[in-house]
Amino acid sequence: MSDASSIHPVDEKLPVGKLATLGIQHVLVMYGGAVAVPLIVGRALQLSPQDVAFLISADLFVCGLVTIIQSLGITRSVGIRLPVMMGVTFASVGPMVSMATMTPGHEGARLIFGAIIGAGLVALLLAPIMGRLLRFFPPIVTGTIILVIGVTLMRVGVNWIFGNPFGPTAPKLVDPTHAEWLAELKKLASTGGPAVPDGVVLGATVPNPIYAEPSHVGLAALVLISILVIARYGRGLISNIAVLTGIVIGCVFAAGLGMMHFDRVADAGWFAVVTPLRFGMPIFDPVLIATMSLVMIVVMIESTGMFLALGEITNREVSQQQLTAGLRVDGIGTMIGGLFNTFPYTSFSQNVGLVGVTGVKSRYVCVMGGAIMIVLGLIPKMGALVEAVPTFVLGGAGLVMFGMVAATGVRILSTVDFKSSRNNLFVVAVSVGFGLIPLIAPNFLMWMPHAIHPIIESGIVLASISAVVLNAFFNGLRVERSASINAARLADSH
């Protein structure tokens, strides 16, 4: 007769009803962050609303699938078998948006998914040796990188509120009378009049009435204020889902004002299989793969700290073999993501925190959460509903989500000794400066070889390279492994 008390809380199988309730709680905590990345990248790629809705469904489906692989485990070598929810990492957004801007549409999607699959393979191969790579990423490096990631992403949140600087929502538009004049001039040129020089374009001089529209800004402010109030006065689960609740409040007001429409939700089906390679065969560009691989190394260092912290919360020691098994899922999940038209995956720290808050340590709760995510991914109406959320509503939440990423970088840097090691100031100062170059001077690369544009176009990659090199220059590569791990534990930037 087996003794129930001998079962570790991590391996405890709870009643189905309790599993479902706790699983839904985990899904709610991560849902806002899980759907943000496909929205950002899909719109950066200028995909159709139907394609963006599909990206959201695919993301939910793969979130669930990879979560089950991580929490349940396939073999001793794959899956950490702890209560872990997997989701898309924000660290990958900056490089992917740069790729999308450079090559929009389906071809850009194929380039991104090719880079993701390649980076996933690199992560899978690096999983057993991540302990040796920690020396290159002490707290001063990881903190600087995460700070730059957050600052870079803030541009996305701000543009969600006011409007993108290019296209229909740009601050200024071409004067219609000027456009008519140029059209008339071209017509005269075709009948023997003076030719219009090639490449002549009209400058945008007329203020755009839909840029920074007061009602849009007001709703974004409402979402932001709602999130802050809920975070301040909410308790338990309510506080943990402050961002998601704020978005829902914004959507209710937007719908009431006629700013949110549900036509595509009504047209979407109730069930559809998530098919791989929807946009065609991935394109494997070595430079793009190298860029995403660098992001994956940072992500795996964060995962290392997350797993060790979770081991302490659940009172289960995480061995080197288990750590490698968990990191392998980062690589495998990312490869699955690229195959199924979605993005790089890592453990969601919000859910690690939820394990500590609730005290429920059973990994089967996250297995149930993964199953719920799979079901949500198979319901196209869910993807269409998320796609219908106005960008200005998301903007209010974006300031919080992306700002928290930057704040996490600051928190990690607070553990760095700047008093006795003043050269650390140079590492942070110069690296942040490099990271801001693409934001402030996006055309700085116009005379540089096109092949290296994907690398130098990303402020995150520039800051990463700068931080690693400068740290090695000033501090060498001797670092306490525990210091890197403790910094990774603070990196709850997802």
Side-chain angles (χ1 to χ4, degrees), residues 13 90 153 165 182 265 343 356 419 468:
K13 295 182 179 179
F90 279 125
L153 290 175
L182 183 59
V265 180
F343 311 106
K419 288 186 178 180
V468 169

Side-chain angles (χ1 to χ4, degrees), residues 39-100:
L39 274 172
I40 297 168
V41 179
R43 288 171 177 171
L45 282 166
Q46 301 174 29
L47 298 178
S48 67
Q50 292 78 12
D51 283 340
V52 175
F54 174 82
L55 289 182
I56 295 165
S57 294
D59 178 38
L60 294 173
F61 176 81
V62 178
C63 272
L65 181 61
V66 180
T67 294
I68 292 174
I69 293 173
Q70 186 71 281
S71 297
L72 191 60
I74 297 178
T75 65
R76 289 186 62 193
S77 301
V78 179
I80 198 165
R81 302 188 181 199
L82 288 174
V84 175
M85 293 292 290
M86 301 290 286
V88 180
T89 172
F90 279 125
S92 63
V93 172
M96 289 193 295
V97 169
S98 295
M99 297 174 198

Side-chain angles (χ1 to χ4, degrees), residues 247-412:
I247 292 174
V248 171
I249 291 172
C251 287
V252 169
F253 276 85
L257 295 171
M259 297 180 182
M260 184 174 177
H261 306 285
F262 302 94
D263 299 344
R264 285 189 287 270
V265 180
D267 294 339
W270 282 103
F271 177 82
V273 176
V274 176
T275 54
L277 305 178
R278 176 185 173 98
F279 302 98
M281 284 298 295
I283 300 172
F284 298 98
D285 184 295
V287 176
L288 300 185
I289 291 173
T291 302
M292 291 303 297
S293 296
L294 180 58
V295 171
M296 285 305 298
I297 291 173
V298 175
V299 165
M300 292 170 76
I301 289 170
E302 294 179 12
S303 294
T304 298
M306 219 75 69
F307 293 149
L308 294 173
L310 190 56
E312 291 181 0
I313 292 171
T314 59
N315 297 316
R316 168 168 280 184
E317 184 180 352
V318 177
S319 66
Q320 184 64 46
Q321 184 270 332
Q322 285 178 297
L323 188 60
T324 300
L327 294 176
R328 280 197 183 102
V329 178
D330 278 9
I332 292 172
T334 298
M335 292 173 69
I336 294 173
L339 187 65
F340 278 87
N341 320 287
T342 181
F343 311 106
Y345 286 87
T346 187
S347 54
F348 256 43
S349 59
Q350 296 97 315
N351 297 87
V352 173
L354 186 60
V355 173
V357 170
T358 63
V360 178
K361 303 171 183 178
S362 173
R363 60 192 171 104
Y364 293 100
V365 170
C366 289
V367 172
M368 177 62 78
I372 293 169
M373 297 288 278
I374 288 176
V375 172
L376 292 176
L378 296 174
I379 303 174
K381 283 188 183 293
M382 291 300 300
L385 180 61
V386 174
E387 195 282 327
V389 177
T391 53
F392 47 85
V393 170
L394 290 172
L399 289 183
V400 177
M401 290 190 294
F402 306 146
M404 288 296 287
V405 177
T408 298
V410 173
R411 184 167 64 172
I412 294 172

Side-chain angles (χ1 to χ4, degrees), residues 124-141:
L124 180 62
L125 297 174
L126 290 178
I129 62 170
M130 277 307 298
R132 299 177 188 175
L133 293 179
L134 284 175
R135 67 172 59 189
F136 295 99
F137 294 87
I140 191 167
V141 173

